[in-house]
């Protein structure tokens, strides 16, 4: 199995530096890194070009014409050399066993879904200062009152439960039900079977995970939970959340027509059909 870690970014090099620095602590390190940029920012280009990592590092860009994350992700899939793809966002720092767990859970007929703890400003600042990542992991997993006082959300998602531990049954009791675009993985062949991400979506959220989930399920793939296994720490920032109504309505229309192989994805089906 060859693995590609695809990191979605938009201008935030400060957070990306921390995310990349933390990869040095991974228990599994045999993967390539693809920076999937929804834009073409010179500061990002300079940063990626100067960053040194043990893994092969590729930077994909496109013109900044509004939210086109799905297009950027399809670009990353096209250049990926791995046959297994792991997706995160550029402001999500990974637990040191994150890649190991995604690799362990990989299934040709499944797609893996995890969650993240949303850190408050003070804990995020500790990560941005790049203090000892393993010490910070332990603090997030044990200092619940401090996390709560700092405004953290989904604190329970910051607890790693080893799959062979006496508490592993807890992960099975509360499995994931929904795919999260910031913490997911699947074989490249699986996403190619549904023609990748649907570029019809022009707003955040629905198109990058919920739409992907129903299409995977219609194609016969099962959701595999990585809750409390593939743990990640989302760095604090001001929310910029768009209304999801339009995306949900679009998804419902596609479900109505059972369009689980999207027309505007890795392959442009409309163009192919019009050329016939």
């Amino acid at each position: 199995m060859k693995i590609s870690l695809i990191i979605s970014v938009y201008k935030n090099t400060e957070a990306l530096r921390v995310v990349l620095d933390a990869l040095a602590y991974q228990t599994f390190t045999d993967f390539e890194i693809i920076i999937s940029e929804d834009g073409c920012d010179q500061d990002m280009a300079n940063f990626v070009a100067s960053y040194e990592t043990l893994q092969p590092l590729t930077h994909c860009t496109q013109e900044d014409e509004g939210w086109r994350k799905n297009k950027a992700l399809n670009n990353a899939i096209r250049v990926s050399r791995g046959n297994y793809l792991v997706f995160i966002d550029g402001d999500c720092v990974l637990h040191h066993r994150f890649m190991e767990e995604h690799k362990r859970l990989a299934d040709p007929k499944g797609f893996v879904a995890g969650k993240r703890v949303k850190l408050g400003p003070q804990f995020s600042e500790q990560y941005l200062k790049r203090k000892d990542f393993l010490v910070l992991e332990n603090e997030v997993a044990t200092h619940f009152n401090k996390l709560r006082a700092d405004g953290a959300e989904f604190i329970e998602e910051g607890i790693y439960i080893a799959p062979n531990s006496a508490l592993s049954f807890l992960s099975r009791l509360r499995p994931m039900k929904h795919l999260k675009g910031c913490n997911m993985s699947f074989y490249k062949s699986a996403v190619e079977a549904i023609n990748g991400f649907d570029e019809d979506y022009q707003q955040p959220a629905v198109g990058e995970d919920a739409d992907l989930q129903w299409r995977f399920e219609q194609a016969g793939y099962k959701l595999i939970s990585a809750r409390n296994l593939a743990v990640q720490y989302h760095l604090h920032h001001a929310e910029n959340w768009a209304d999801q109504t339009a995306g949900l309505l679009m998804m419902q229309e596609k479900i109505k027509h059972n369009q689980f192989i999207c027309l505007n994805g890795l392959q442009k089906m409309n163009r192919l059909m019009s050329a016939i």
Side-chain angles (χ1 to χ4, degrees):
M1 180 193 298
K2 294 183 178 180
I3 298 179
S4 300
L5 173 63
I6 297 175
I7 307 176
S8 294
V9 300
Y10 182 74
K11 292 188 175 182
N12 191 346
T13 57
E14 182 183 26
L16 180 59
R17 182 185 297 278
V18 179
V19 172
L20 293 176
D21 286 353
L23 293 181
Y25 292 81
Q26 290 295 305
T27 53
F28 174 78
T29 59
D30 186 15
F31 54 88
E32 70 167 342
I33 303 168
I34 300 175
I35 306 300
S36 174
E37 183 183 3
D38 183 10
C40 192
D41 180 67
Q42 190 58 50
D43 288 342
M44 180 65 71
N46 294 340
F47 168 75
V48 175
S50 64
Y51 191 89
E52 296 184 3
T53 177
L54 295 175
Q55 292 92 354
L57 179 61
T58 302
H59 183 196
C60 291
T61 67
Q62 62 189 21
E63 290 301 316
D64 190 347
E65 298 177 357
W67 191 92
R68 297 190 302 158
K69 181 179 179 180
N70 284 5
K71 179 178 175 62
L73 290 172
N74 282 337
N75 292 337
I77 292 171
R78 291 187 188 98
V79 304
S80 64
R81 289 170 285 182
N83 64 336
Y84 194 76
L85 311 175
V86 181
F87 294 81
I88 66 170
D89 286 345
D91 55 7
C92 291
V93 183
L94 307 185
H95 183 277
H96 71 279
R97 296 184 69 172
F98 182 92
M99 294 299 291
E100 172 192 342
E101 291 295 350
H102 271 283
K103 178 177 182 292
R104 184 181 66 83
L105 293 168
D107 184 331
K109 292 302 296 179
F111 56 100
V112 178
K115 293 194 76 172
R116 77 277 188 266
V117 53
K118 296 181 71 173
L119 299 176
Q122 294 180 21
F123 271 86
S124 295
E125 184 63 24
Q126 296 301 304
Y127 275 97
L128 291 171
K129 290 178 178 177
R130 299 195 292 285
K131 294 194 174 182
D132 191 307
F133 289 110
L134 299 183
V135 171
L136 286 169
E137 283 183 9
N138 183 63
E139 290 183 356
V140 172
T142 56
H143 291 59
F144 302 129
N145 289 335
K146 288 184 178 179
L147 281 166
R148 193 172 290 109
D150 191 30
E153 297 180 64
F154 313 114
I155 296 173
E156 68 282 0
E157 307 303 337
I159 302 171
Y160 172 75
I161 302 176
N164 57 351
S165 72
L167 297 177
S168 61
F169 71 94
L170 293 174
S171 298
R172 296 190 294 272
L173 288 177
R174 50 195 303 271
M176 290 290 293
K177 296 181 180 179
H178 304 289
L179 192 63
K180 297 289 183 183
C182 64
N183 187 348
M184 63 185 182
S185 66
F186 34 79
Y187 275 90
K188 185 189 290 188
S189 58
V191 76
E192 287 175 338
I194 59 173
N195 199 28
F197 291 84
D198 192 337
E199 296 176 24
D200 284 352
Y201 293 92
Q202 299 291 314
Q203 291 182 328
V206 178
E208 59 191 285
D209 43 39
D211 174 76
L212 203 66
Q213 179 173 344
W214 83 264
R215 294 196 290 125
F216 269 139
E217 291 173 342
Q218 283 298 101
Y221 296 90
K222 62 180 180 180
L223 187 151
I224 299 168
S225 178
R227 197 170 191 177
N228 296 117
L229 294 167
V231 173
Q232 63 177 208
Y233 314 98
H234 181 264
L235 300 175
H236 176 78
H237 58 76
E239 293 288 351
N240 185 23
W241 200 245
D243 186 351
Q244 298 181 42
T245 303
L248 290 169
L249 289 173
M250 180 181 292
M251 186 177 73
Q252 290 302 317
E253 189 66 18
K254 291 175 182 290
I255 291 173
K256 178 181 176 181
H257 294 93
N258 200 28
Q259 196 179 91
F260 65 89
I261 299 177
C262 69
L263 300 180
N264 186 20
L266 288 169
Q267 302 292 329
K268 305 307 176 187
M269 300 295 191
N270 284 329
R271 296 179 195 170
L272 291 173
M273 289 187 289
S274 64
I276 296 175

